[in-house]
Amino acid sequence: MKYSNIHLIYFSPTHTSAKIVYAIAEGMGATSMSESDVTCESLDMEEYIDDELTIIAAPVYGGRVAETAMERFRMFRSAHHAPVVPVVLYGNRDYEDALKELCDLVSEQGFVPVAAGAFIGEHSFSRKGMPIAEGRPDESDLKQATEFGKKIIEELEKVSCMECLSALEVKGNFPYRVKGPSTPQAPVTDNDLCTQCEYCVDVCPTHAISLADEGMYSDPNLCIKCCACVKECPEGARTFDTPYTAMLHKNFSARREPEIFF
């Protein structure tokens, strides 16, 4: 089966998921692409995807797909068993049940997973002096993603119909990993550096940041700790301090490689 259009769906606060999605699509050699970036906004109404080959990607938080991403992905459905490639990006520790969780979700929404992948992206908590998968996805990751896209097309060309495919098996367990309670916390602003450009407001996926009398305020009850505001601040005025950074840097600095499934 041949596909001329590729539909990209992604939640990507720090752009790692988006980079991998585009690299996979490049390998697929599509003549056209449609894009649904749900990083900062959810759809107003459900969107139905007919027979487009779709790539859907999100970061892993605590061994599960980011909850905000899951909520926004539920707005996409397929009435005609569109083929889909679920992809997760994790910060060099482990993706645990996230890829299975995403595969299960898209299957429930009417898609047919034809391949899946777990790639590495710089951890949200990575910072100067304590890097965690710094700079990833790097050139090697993007090359592997492109080759992954080529292989997907090669495999799909051998398939006469989606119903002919056997169920895709990926790493992960059900019931999914139970995440512990999250302590409300948010990045803070150095008012000596902050120019109140409000760029952090624009990049926050959950609209947790606002301009208050004392400067930029982050609501810890809305913050998902993606650290997009920290990494994107043009003045370096945002910081997020957590003891997990040192732990992750110490225990998960060894390079890990992408895992793909057909």
Side-chain angles (χ1 to χ4, degrees):
M1 301 181 71
K2 294 184 180 296
Y3 297 91
S4 59
N5 187 69
I6 308 297
H7 195 127
L8 313 180
I9 304 172
Y10 58 86
F11 177 84
S12 187
T14 57
H15 313 301
T16 56
S17 299
K19 289 177 181 176
I20 290 295
V21 159
Y22 274 99
I24 295 171
E26 179 184 348
M28 290 176 171
T31 56
S32 64
M33 289 190 297
S34 51
E35 177 186 41
S36 298
D37 178 358
V38 295
T39 304
C40 291
E41 296 289 346
S42 182
L43 299 181
D44 293 330
M45 61 182 67
E46 288 187 341
E47 179 174 339
Y48 280 82
I49 297 173
D50 289 330
D51 58 356
E52 292 176 303
L53 174 55
T54 302
I55 310 170
I56 186 164
V60 176
Y61 296 161
R64 300 280 299 276
V65 178
E67 292 175 4
T68 305
M70 290 290 283
E71 293 170 6
R72 295 175 184 178
F73 289 164
R74 288 191 178 93
M75 298 298 288
F76 296 90
R77 293 182 177 274
S78 175
H80 298 98
H81 309 295
V84 67
V85 181
V87 175
V88 296
L89 274 285
Y90 70 103
N92 212 55
R93 185 188 67 81
D94 198 345
Y95 60 94
E96 295 177 275
D97 300 332
L99 188 57
K100 178 171 176 51
E101 181 181 25
L102 186 54
C103 285
D104 290 346
L105 173 68
V106 294
S107 296
E108 291 168 5
Q109 300 296 99
F111 294 87
V112 178
V114 296
F119 289 79
I120 296 83
E122 181 172 324
H123 200 287
S124 299
F125 297 169
S126 176
R127 66 188 189 196
K128 187 175 181 180
M130 286 187 283
I132 310 157
E134 186 177 27
R136 299 188 69 183
D138 57 19
E139 185 176 345
S140 174
D141 295 315
L142 296 177
K143 182 178 180 180
Q144 291 184 66
T146 301
E147 291 300 318
F148 180 42
K150 291 179 182 177
K151 180 70 180 300
I152 292 168
I153 294 300
E154 290 172 1
E155 292 300 314
L156 284 175
E157 288 176 347
K158 303 173 186 176
V159 176
S160 58
C161 63
M162 288 297 101
E163 290 78 7
C164 302
L165 291 172
S166 57
L168 181 68
E169 296 291 335
V170 300
K171 192 172 82 173
N173 299 294
F174 183 82
Y176 310 127
R177 179 185 188 275
V178 177
K179 295 175 67 174
S182 178
T183 303
Q185 187 181 1
V188 296
T189 302
D190 184 335
N191 288 323
D192 291 333
L193 296 175
C194 179
T195 62
Q196 297 186 0
C197 68
E198 299 188 50
Y199 189 56
C200 55
V201 175
D202 294 336
V203 301
C204 179
T206 57
H207 308 293
I209 307 172
S210 58
L211 178 59
D213 292 339
E214 66 276 12
M216 304 312 300
Y217 169 72
S218 295
D219 185 338
N221 293 307
L222 294 177
C223 178
I224 59 172
K225 305 181 180 69
C226 70
C227 291
C229 62
V230 175
K231 295 181 184 292
E232 296 290 326
C233 177
E235 306 301 329
R238 303 276 292 178
T239 57
F240 183 69
D241 289 319
T242 168
Y244 288 110
T245 299
M247 182 276 291
L248 292 165
H249 171 68
K250 178 182 178 181
N251 297 314
F252 301 102
S253 291
R255 183 182 179 90
R256 300 192 68 173
E257 294 296 335
E259 297 178 37
I260 59 175
F261 302 86
F262 285 95

